[in-house]
Amino acid sequence: MSIDQRGAVCVLGTGLIGGSLLRAAVGAGYVAFGYNRSATGVSAACRDGFDVSGDLSAVLRRAAAIDALLVVAVPMPAVDSLLAEIAALAPECPLTDVVSVKGPVLDAVRKHGLEALYVGGHPMAGTSRSGWAATDSELFRDAVWAVGVDEGTRVEPWSRVVRLALDCGSVVVPVLAEEHDRAVARISHLPHVLAEALAAAGAEGGKLALGLAAGSFRDGTRVAGTAPDLVRAICEPNAAALEAVLDEAIETLVTTRDSLRANGVLGELVEAGYRGRTAYDHRATWDITGVEPGSGDWLAALHRAGLDGGVLRAL
Amino acid sequence: MSIDQRGAVCVLGTGLIGGSLLRAAVGAGYVAFGYNRSATGVSAACRDGFDVSGDLSAVLRRAAAIDALLVVAVPMPAVDSLLAEIAALAPECPLTDVVSVKGPVLDAVRKHGLEALYVGGHPMAGTSRSGWAATDSELFRDAVWAVGVDEGTRVEPWSRVVRLALDCGSVVVPVLAEEHDRAVARISHLPHVLAEALAAAGAEGGKLALGLAAGSFRDGTRVAGTAPDLVRAICEPNAAALEAVLDEAIETLVTTRDSLRANGVLGELVEAGYRGRTAYDHRATWDITGVEPGSGDWLAALHRAGLDGGVLRAL
């Protein structure tokens, strides 16, 4: 298959992310089908006209027969057993995933000997809702989709993953698994932890405090409304990177507390935070051009570009 | 003046909160005028048809002549010198304020011997913008307005403050100064500190981290976009209460970090945060009825009701 062709897509797990991906892929003209473990999820998807089955073996055999791109879209705790089935029934298929952490998935992929055709992925999109009922074909529109460029990545599966992400309306940021995990610890997992701590502190103030709460508390605690099991499934597979950045944040907060205690002032934190938010507001993405996938040091060039704010908008 | 009458209102400081209050009071039919220190602020308000002057002595003499309700709407660092002028020129006027902390204002009011006619106030509304250009007559619509019920509060000034808050579209929560300050440390000042820490941690991740940032980072850092001087003016006058609740939050985060380090799990925080946000989402306000302002233990009854989630929607 040339990199200009759109091969079939097989989505394994049709919850919020996987189900939205199935909708988006079908909407973009792909032959796309899927598997879901729960019978209610299968029924809901079929009622909406999608080709979803609860028979994993049959789905994987079908994918193997037509060289479909396999998309692992189950929570991290379910990844290992799914990869075992893939290794048994569809080891020659190109393989990607949409799990929120990349190092542990890559480790599991290697354990099952599937690394040759694997390319990690992570669409930076989601809501606090879950399941087929929450799926939305537009979930990935204008989102950022991280796609792996780790050493050894092959151009054929990589191109299929990138094309799928672009066809879903996203831009692609090329990343190494380890750097991805450290980055999302800062901008996705730490926000969850701080939101939980803020929500708990507010509630400790009782009805008076919650009754006086306005916009700063509402926005600062929004993601604490996510179901606890989902928060754990998102954050805990990235425990090491999250622990490091949480430790850094605690140090900042201790310095601030000590400054308040000693001098009644917040100190450097206010300027650092304002600079950080301003950098976010004015973050500039630029289009990566001039890198020919598969040629020369394409992986290293894409890696450098991703670190520097570059995105792919086209193949 | 009976408590059913709307006396004149004199707003001292016509920035975001004071200027919006002037607009809202005029809109509600009050005779309302104001003072602003900066000539550009005065000009902007006058151009929009409002009665604002830069001559503080003249404004206070006019207020004294017609028994206007004085509203102190300057940042905490400017409160003391303004109260000195009020003590000299309009000591018999009922007096309130819209400063975000109540204990330090009450202390300053006592220092100037103005406590007999003082009632603390704090509308829980604002934006990250400031100055006359940001003013909005609807800023207080459906907001919560904390109004003091500290011991010694007199019913005449209290009724005028409550009526003004209600006429601006807010509901009134009766509070003690000290309890107010502890509550807003949790739901207004701690959110600022955590947002700054999150924004700083995200920016430490460089272009890659900021490029991958999505909704959780955007919402969690929103108030870090507030001008640093404004953040300090809001938070630092409440340093003692903020330090205490920040200390509590640090303890929670340290427990979480240790749990991640030891077992790779977030532990109790996730449930506590979810409970806190759920309590916020389902917080129930109820209407305080059956308390006759000025009769019996009305202040204690209102105080108890406020602690328990009660609000005043009418006088």
Side-chain angles (χ1 to χ4, degrees), chain B residues 232-291:
Chain B
R232 285 187 283 263
I234 290 170
C235 296
E236 291 178 351
N238 202 22
L242 176 54
E243 186 215 314
V245 70
L246 178 54
D247 205 51
E248 183 184 311
I250 289 169
E251 195 174 322
T252 300
L253 295 173
V254 166
T255 301
T256 304
R257 179 201 61 194
D258 293 347
S259 171
L260 281 170
R261 189 172 289 171
N263 310 307
V265 300
L266 290 167
E268 293 172 9
L269 173 65
V270 181
E271 300 292 346
Y274 184 72
R275 277 199 306 274
R277 173 67 193 199
T278 304
Y280 168 72
D281 283 335
H282 297 106
R283 67 198 184 284
T285 57
W286 51 273
D287 292 2
I288 302 170
T289 56
V291 178

Side-chain angles (χ1 to χ4, degrees), chain B:
Chain B
M1 186 176 301
S2 95
I3 68 167
D4 292 328
Q5 291 179 305
R6 284 164 177 74
V9 172
C10 172
V11 180
L12 303 165
T14 55
L16 170 66
I17 303 294
S20 295
L21 177 53
L22 182 60
R23 284 185 182 274
V26 169
Y30 285 80
V31 170
F33 57 101
Y35 154 79
N36 196 64
R37 194 184 57 169
S38 93
T40 53
V42 170
S43 303
C46 290
R47 265 199 308 276
D48 284 350
F50 291 87
D51 184 354
V52 175
S53 158
D55 183 342
L56 178 58
S57 300
V59 168
L60 289 175
R61 285 197 187 90
R62 177 177 170 195
I66 61 171
D67 189 36
L69 171 63
L70 301 178
V71 183
V72 172
V74 296
M76 189 65 218
V79 166
D80 188 73
S81 64
L82 183 58
L83 291 175
E85 294 294 319
I86 292 170
L89 297 171
E92 304 297 325
C93 284
L95 176 65
T96 188
D97 72 295
V98 292
V99 178
S100 60
V101 66
K102 300 273 62 72
V105 175
L106 185 56
D107 291 343
V109 164
R110 286 182 176 139
K111 174 185 153 191
H112 291 284
L114 293 167
E115 67 273 23
L117 296 173
Y118 170 73
V119 178
H122 182 200
M124 306 303 297
T127 75
S128 59
R129 300 173 58 225
S130 58
W132 179 266
T135 59
D136 175 3
S137 67
E138 294 297 300
L139 185 65
F140 310 107
R141 181 77 53 200
D142 301 323
V144 167
W145 197 307
V147 176
V149 286
D150 293 88
E151 202 182 330
T153 298
R154 295 196 192 172
V155 69
E156 297 82 7
W158 184 87
S159 301
R160 285 180 69 176
V161 174
V162 169
R163 182 166 300 285
L164 178 62
L166 297 174
D167 285 340
C168 290
S170 295
V171 299
V172 166
V173 171
V175 289
L176 299 188
E178 190 187 334
E179 290 174 349
H180 167 276
D181 290 356
R182 286 206 299 263
V184 298
R186 291 182 182 278
I187 53 80
S188 173
H189 304 156
L190 183 63
H192 274 283
V193 170
L194 294 184
E196 308 279 12
L198 179 58
E204 277 295 311
K207 290 179 183 176
L208 176 63
L210 293 181
L212 293 176
S216 63
F217 186 80
R218 181 193 64 226
D219 290 356
T221 60
R222 184 182 60 81
V223 295
T226 310
D229 283 349
L230 189 53
V231 174
R232 285 187 283 263
I234 290 170
C235 296
E236 291 178 351
N238 202 22
L242 176 54
E243 186 215 314
V245 70
L246 178 54
D247 205 51
E248 183 184 311
I250 289 169
E251 195 174 322
T252 300
L253 295 173
V254 166
T255 301
T256 304
R257 179 201 61 194
D258 293 347
S259 171
L260 281 170
R261 189 172 289 171
N263 310 307
V265 300
L266 290 167
E268 293 172 9
L269 173 65
V270 181
E271 300 292 346
Y274 184 72
R275 277 199 306 274
R277 173 67 193 199
T278 304
Y280 168 72
D281 283 335
H282 297 106
R283 67 198 184 284
T285 57
W286 51 273
D287 292 2
I288 302 170
T289 56
V291 178
E292 176 76 21
S295 294
D297 65 346
W298 68 289
L299 289 170
L302 289 173
H303 168 222
R304 281 193 304 272
L307 278 182
D308 199 36
V311 300
L312 290 163
R313 292 182 196 277
L315 255 185

